[in-house]
Amino acid sequence: MRTSLALAVSAALVAGTALGLAPAAQAADTSIRFVDIAGDGGTVLKANVVTPAGGDGSARYPVIVLPTSWAMPQIEYLAQAQKLADSGYVVVSYNSRGFWQSGGEIETAGPKDVADASKVIDWALANTPADPDRVGMAGVSYGAGISLLAAAHDPRVKAVVALSGWADLIESIYSGRTQHLQAAGLLGGAGYLTGRPGPELKQILGDFLSSNLDKEDEMIAWGRTRSPATYLDRINANGAAIMLGNAWGDTIFPPNQYASFYEKLTGPKRLEFRPGDHATAEATGLFGLPNDTWTSTHRWFDRYLKGADNGIDREQPVQLKSRSTGGYEGYADWKSVNADQRKFSLADTEHVWANVDSGANGGITLLTNALDQFLRTPPVVSVPLLPRAFAGVWQSERYDTAQKVRGTAKVHTTVTPTKESGTFVAYLYDVGPLGIGKLVSNAPYTFHDRTPGQSFPVDLELFSTAYDVPAGHRLALVVDTVDPLYIEHNPTGAQLTFSSPSADPSYVSVPLRQE
């Protein structure tokens, strides 16, 4: 299943990028060259260069370097590169090492990938009319992560736009100490289909998917090395202007880790969240079609590479687009998004048998949240019909007015296991008068080495979102132990009890926007 998913996704993205190439190929006012660039250690990186028309050889232009996304060919950004070149940028896009026709093995944003980014900048400064004082980097997904890492290691990078990327790789695919199965499987499958995974990646992926806890510390250390958040001090010291963009429903790099990283940046910064799944918010821009994400990208570079007074630095830096209304809302910072919290109690004790899917789940990677983006159709369940032997259910009161959920809902509860290991997934639903629940958010939680029969407290952050609960509806928290998105660690016959001790009551804290 993972292989077929990877094949389908890769084919769709390549086809879309090829279509996006059409307007670029037809344009005659800029120059497009396909070149080989020597990366770290001399590894050949396949690249393309788009330069503005009319240069007399003496003019210097700001330069933007675009590393490709995971499993994507070098033509990925040509439509956007054309637009940027038309407005006065030199654009160099290159195929990340280990993929397609570039040499080497997949390093998964390791030190060689970071060194490659600097080598490409070197090449651009030596072989194009690029201005060494106006260097930017951008990318989608894998290209976003490499761009942020490059900003930590190369002070020449003055501006970054990182779309659908990661700041913390562990929090992205191992949040709640739970393997995100579909995300890791999709990345691994696409890597094998379109590139050459190195022995380190093969080992890490094998240990991760097989739940080899003996290697957990090594896997975490591997992920930390590849996380921009690890180098936050360097990024802040270098002072690059950083714009982050992501989708609420990104099932590969969920939004929470981006928001946390954003709050710790000290230079010029901007955070944009929109409906969708991984890379779907900016996908139409790769076709060359109008796209809000890419519009902000161009404005960001115009401000911080060209010095244009376009007002983006005076706007509210946190821009959120609701899944329910489609309108944008501005905030001064991420803390302001979560400023107003409303709790509902999880007072009743619930006993849940493990290893059976109750029917509550987060959907399918790339598909489910893309449908929500375009059709506003999140996963649904009939809350009254959920089998209570396999699902715990708590509901709020019915709300008289619409509740605008904005930010990160948090669950606090007490768990008593019958086994030393276990996994549960918490789901927050918008429940209508007929009991139909629409998924607002979810998150997994896994524990190991617990004493059976001994209770322990759990604090779990659900994935951040922006969703409007209509008047007359209520919120429901559902927990069960199986979801196809995640690897679960429930031994056969395990049972989990969720309780609310009087000395430590259980609750859900929901962030709400106040008008």
Side-chain angles (χ1 to χ4, degrees):
M1 181 186 73
R2 292 195 296 268
T3 300
S4 61
L5 275 172
L7 180 60
V9 171
S10 297
L13 290 175
V14 171
T17 305
L19 288 174
L21 172 61
Q26 293 170 5
D29 56 347
T30 54
S31 170
I32 302 173
R33 290 185 291 149
F34 290 86
V35 299
D36 290 348
I37 298 176
D40 184 56
T43 297
V44 173
L45 305 175
K46 295 294 182 177
N48 57 73
V49 185
V50 188
T51 53
D56 59 6
S58 61
R60 290 287 172 179
Y61 302 94
V63 59
I64 298 173
V65 174
L66 303 169
T68 55
S69 304
W70 185 271
M72 289 296 293
Q74 60 162 304
I75 63 170
E76 177 184 9
Y77 301 114
L78 269 180
Q80 285 301 321
Q82 178 69 66
K83 292 176 181 291
L84 288 164
D86 286 344
S87 61
Y89 292 92
V90 173
V91 184
V92 182
S93 176
Y94 69 96
N95 228 126
S96 304
R97 70 165 52 221
F99 286 105
W100 295 88
Q101 293 175 312
S102 283
E105 297 175 325
I106 300 172
E107 296 287 333
T108 321
K112 291 181 180 179
D113 287 306
V114 178
D116 283 345
S118 290
K119 291 290 187 181
V120 173
I121 294 172
D122 292 343
W123 185 93
L125 297 179
N127 295 276
T128 74
D131 185 340
D133 295 324
R134 296 186 290 169
V135 177
M137 289 194 67
V140 175
S141 185
Y142 195 45
I146 291 174
S147 296
L148 288 172
L149 289 165
H153 291 85
D154 194 328
R156 294 176 297 180
V157 178
K158 303 303 182 186
V160 172
V161 176
L163 306 176
S164 293
W166 76 92
D168 188 322
L169 192 57
I170 300 302
E171 281 301 308
S172 294
I173 61 174
Y174 196 50
S175 68
R177 209 180 176 187
T178 307
Q179 297 100 320
H180 293 211
L181 172 62
Q182 291 185 20
L186 179 61
L187 292 172
Y192 276 96
L193 279 168
T194 62
R196 297 168 299 283
E200 186 178 35
L201 174 57
K202 291 178 181 178
Q203 183 67 47
I204 290 291
L205 191 61
D207 290 338
F208 186 81
L209 293 176
S210 65
S211 303
N212 187 353
L213 291 177
D214 291 338
K215 298 290 187 178
E216 184 180 36
D217 289 343
E218 292 179 25
M219 289 187 283
I220 289 174
W222 179 87
R224 292 283 180 252
T225 301
R226 290 156 170 79
S227 296
T230 301
Y231 311 101
L232 180 68
D233 290 346
R234 293 190 197 178
I235 292 173
N236 285 335
N238 289 341
I242 294 177
M243 174 183 144
L244 306 172
N246 204 357
W248 293 120
D250 194 322
T251 47
I252 295 180
F253 303 128
N256 301 44
Q257 44 93 32
Y258 245 18
S260 176
F261 179 69
Y262 169 84
E263 282 292 271
K264 298 170 185 175
L265 292 170
T266 58
K269 59 184 180 178
R270 184 177 177 92
L271 178 67
E272 298 186 354
F273 284 146
R274 298 177 175 84
D277 206 312
H278 184 64
T280 64
E282 56 269 16
T284 56
L286 297 178
F287 289 77
L289 300 174
N291 179 278
D292 289 355
T293 305
W294 286 102
T295 297
S296 292
T297 297
H298 287 241
R299 294 180 67 216
W300 191 253
F301 284 133
D302 285 350
R303 174 65 186 88
Y304 290 102
L305 293 184
K306 287 184 175 180
D309 185 14
N310 57 16
I312 195 169
D313 53 325
R314 296 189 294 275
E315 296 171 358
Q316 295 275 51
V318 176
Q319 292 287 319
L320 310 182
K321 189 174 185 180
S322 169
R323 291 166 52 201
S324 303
T325 65
Y328 283 95
E329 301 165 354
Y331 297 82
D333 51 32
W334 181 249
K335 287 183 289 188
S336 300
V337 179
N338 292 280
D340 295 304
Q341 300 277 334
R342 180 171 181 177
K343 294 181 180 179
F344 70 87
S345 174
L346 309 179
D348 298 333
T349 297
E350 297 280 356
H351 306 280
V352 177
W353 288 95
N355 307 117
V356 176
D357 190 342
S358 70
N361 67 74
I364 299 172
T365 291
L366 294 185
L367 176 61
T368 299
N369 292 321
L371 291 175
D372 185 41
Q373 173 186 354
F374 295 108
L375 303 176
R376 295 183 185 170
T377 55
V380 299
V381 296
S382 174
V383 173
L385 297 181
L386 286 170
R388 299 309 171 92
F390 309 115
V393 179
W394 301 262
Q395 297 192 72
S396 72
E397 77 276 16
R398 186 173 285 108
Y399 299 113
D400 294 331
T401 59
Q403 306 293 298
K404 296 186 176 182
V405 180
R406 299 291 187 274
T408 310
K410 300 177 182 179
V411 177
H412 176 75
T413 188
T414 295
V415 178
T416 308
T418 60
K419 305 288 184 179
E420 65 177 13
S421 295
T423 297
F424 69 88
V425 184
Y427 307 89
L428 188 65
Y429 285 101
D430 158 26
V431 183
L434 299 179
I436 301 300
K438 296 181 178 180
L439 186 63
V440 178
S441 185
N442 77 98
Y445 184 89
T446 294
F447 59 88
H448 298 287
D449 302 321
R450 289 289 180 177
T451 302
Q454 183 172 316
S455 302
F456 60 94
V458 170
D459 288 288
L460 177 62
E461 288 191 351
L462 304 187
F463 299 134
S464 304
T465 194
Y467 180 97
D468 294 356
V469 179
H473 288 213
R474 64 181 76 209
L475 287 169
L477 184 78
V478 175
V479 295
D480 72 3
T481 62
V482 176
D483 190 312
L485 285 172
Y486 312 111
I487 292 177
E488 52 93 3
H489 296 263
N490 296 296
T492 302
Q495 186 179 13
L496 301 177
T497 297
F498 298 86
S499 60
S500 181
S502 58
D504 185 21
S506 297
Y507 59 85
V508 178
S509 182
V510 182
L512 301 175
R513 177 178 172 86
Q514 301 298 323
E515 298 299 337

